Amino acid sequence: MKILGIIPARYASSRFPGKPLYPIAGKPLLQHVVERCRQARALNEVVVATDDTRIAEAMTNFCRVEMTSERHPSGTDRIAEVVERNPCDAALNIQGDEPLIEPQVIDAVARALAGSPMSTAATPVRQLTEYDNPNVVKVVVNSAGRALYFSRRTIPFVRDAASRPVAEQLAAFPFLKHLGLYGYWRETLLRLVKCPVSPLEAAEKLEQLRALDNGIEIAVVRVLHDSVGVDVPGDAERVEQLLKQELRNSGS
């Protein structure tokens, strides 16, 4: 099975213009992501999908770069363009702003495609600040490990603990935080991007709800890794400190 690891990247960003090329520990942010992806065993190739020549020029020495349309409304549409013109069995959509992504998590999401048309990952909600944060997406799964629903609200509603402090509510149920990493069989991805925006997707502003709305099962892999995304320049400083700590711990 040939699996492409595709990292959609765009230069424009309302909160952080030029984010993919922002230097962290002496390297562009996107280069850190590419290097982590190349350590994953499940990926046959890592590809950066972009519409910006600055990103293409910066990444061409580290992986293959595919230029894509400027008109794509989402990263999913951007990777679908790459998949459509490249032979592969499946693809992973890997966020370009998570330079600390663990290769083992990428491999786990790829393995989950063996029994599902689509896959993703989740980790326990650990921080009190994440409980009510709408930017921390929650997911509930069934006994077979398939996603039932994703929401920016805290789900499920634990009625018996609802009046207790947040710490006690977290202790009352194993809430799951969704990690923005997706695996798709080729046919699933190409079908998904042809579906119109669903009512649930429009309400929550979560693309994965389009899949559920159209009857596409999503396998959810539970991992201990917690994502550290870079949304604003201040996040980059935090990531740089974590990278330095990693190097100290590894003895490098």
Side-chain angles (χ1 to χ4, degrees):
M1 185 168 72
K2 182 176 182 180
I3 302 178
L4 297 180
I6 307 176
I7 309 168
R10 62 189 187 93
Y11 196 87
S13 170
S14 57
R15 288 192 295 174
F16 195 168
K19 179 169 63 172
L21 302 184
Y22 190 86
I24 297 179
K27 301 176 184 178
L29 186 160
L30 190 55
Q31 183 182 338
H32 287 285
V33 181
V34 169
E35 291 176 351
R36 296 277 179 140
C37 291
R38 292 182 65 177
Q39 294 176 39
R41 297 182 178 183
L43 303 180
N44 295 89
E45 189 175 15
V46 178
V47 181
V48 165
T50 187
D51 59 4
D52 193 281
T53 56
R54 289 164 291 190
I55 293 174
E57 290 170 2
M59 291 298 108
T60 191
N61 291 328
F62 306 106
C63 69
R64 182 155 64 89
V65 177
E66 288 266 349
M67 296 301 295
T68 56
S69 170
E70 298 177 355
R71 298 186 298 274
H72 289 309
S74 70
T76 306
D77 296 282
R78 195 175 301 282
I79 72 162
E81 180 185 337
V82 175
V83 165
E84 197 163 22
R85 63 178 181 235
N86 285 273
C88 65
D89 299 295
L92 261 64
N93 181 349
I94 301 160
Q95 301 299 308
D97 59 2
E98 293 194 9
L100 296 175
I101 184 69
E102 290 184 359
Q104 296 89 341
V105 174
I106 295 171
D107 287 336
V109 171
R111 285 194 301 270
L113 285 173
S116 183
M118 188 171 164
S119 59
T120 190
T123 193
V125 173
R126 302 179 182 88
Q127 305 297 326
L128 299 184
T129 54
E130 294 179 334
Y131 182 77
D132 283 324
N133 187 343
N135 294 317
V136 177
V137 177
K138 284 77 175 179
V139 58
V140 289
V141 301
N142 64 16
S143 58
R146 300 295 188 268
L148 290 172
Y149 193 66
F150 298 84
S151 182
R152 296 185 182 278
R153 290 276 192 183
T154 304
I155 52 173
F157 177 78
V158 183
R159 190 179 66 175
D160 292 342
S163 61
R164 301 177 194 169
V166 169
E168 292 185 29
Q169 293 185 52
L170 275 179
F173 188 87
F175 295 94
L176 289 175
K177 168 185 174 180
H178 178 229
L179 304 180
L181 171 69
Y182 300 96
Y184 313 85
W185 283 98
R186 177 190 180 89
E187 296 79 9
T188 302
L189 175 60
L190 297 182
R191 171 194 165 195
L192 183 61
V193 294
K194 292 177 182 176
C195 295
V197 173
S198 74
L200 290 176
E201 176 186 4
E204 295 255 19
K205 297 296 184 288
L206 295 174
E207 287 180 61
Q208 60 271 37
L209 292 176
R210 190 188 313 181
L212 296 185
D213 248 351
N214 285 278
I216 299 172
E217 284 192 346
I218 305 176
V220 180
V221 179
R222 301 191 192 205
V223 298
L224 294 179
H225 168 75
D226 196 357
S227 63
V228 182
V230 177
D231 294 319
V232 295
D235 295 333
E237 297 173 13
R238 179 188 174 205
V239 166
E240 184 156 334
Q241 293 305 313
L242 291 171
L243 282 168
K244 289 178 180 178
Q245 183 179 329
E246 268 192 8
L247 288 172
R248 287 194 296 270
N249 292 342
S250 66
S252 303

